[in-house]
Amino acid sequence: TTLANQLGATAVEPSVSLGGLDCKVTLSVGREDGTWMDKEWAASGARLLLPLSCRFTDEIVDLGFPGEEALGGRFCRKIECSGGSFVGKSGTENVVVENGGWATAPTSRLGESAVRFFL
């Protein structure tokens, strides 16, 4: 079924609809323990927090071939996001986000679904 999903032969319906849900997601950028990145990157331990307002929709997005395995294949639903801002050394910095996608998938627990998304 993975190949069929990548080819777009099947459009997987979400097990739960989040269409119309408005939420705020905060992107936290900084050094993580155990990273393989250069030791000098983010060595101060400071983090950049970028709050983003998002809206989940039921609009179908075609990711093209081969799709995204984590989202269940070639199709997902759209997240609308207009971006956000943070205050840096030069003042307010605006960050553009060109929307994203989401999908749900059942977990091993009865009646539970996991939400996976990207921006």
Side-chain angles (χ1 to χ4, degrees):
T1 61
T2 301
L3 182 57
N5 289 342
Q6 289 175 339
L7 291 172
T10 59
V12 178
E13 289 296 319
S15 55
V16 171
S17 177
L18 300 177
L21 175 67
D22 291 312
C23 65
K24 184 165 281 203
V25 175
T26 300
L27 182 64
S28 176
V29 180
R31 187 171 192 82
E32 296 293 328
D33 290 337
T35 184
W36 291 6
M37 298 181 84
D38 186 292
K39 292 188 186 308
E40 295 190 21
W41 189 87
S44 71
R47 299 194 73 82
L48 168 73
L49 300 178
L50 179 63
L52 302 167
S53 294
C54 300
R55 180 178 187 82
F56 288 74
T57 76
D58 285 326
E59 181 181 336
I60 295 175
V61 175
D62 183 348
L63 300 173
F65 181 80
E68 176 55 54
E69 186 175 337
L71 295 178
R74 182 171 171 177
F75 296 97
C76 65
R77 301 296 190 265
K78 182 178 181 180
I79 295 178
E80 297 171 342
C81 183
S82 58
S85 64
F86 65 94
V87 178
K89 288 183 179 181
S90 303
T92 301
E93 301 284 344
N94 292 309
V95 178
V96 176
V97 176
E98 295 182 6
N99 298 319
W102 69 273
T104 61
T107 67
S108 59
R109 296 184 200 174
L110 184 61
E112 180 180 271
S113 295
V115 177
R116 294 185 174 169
F117 69 95
F118 69 89
L119 296 172

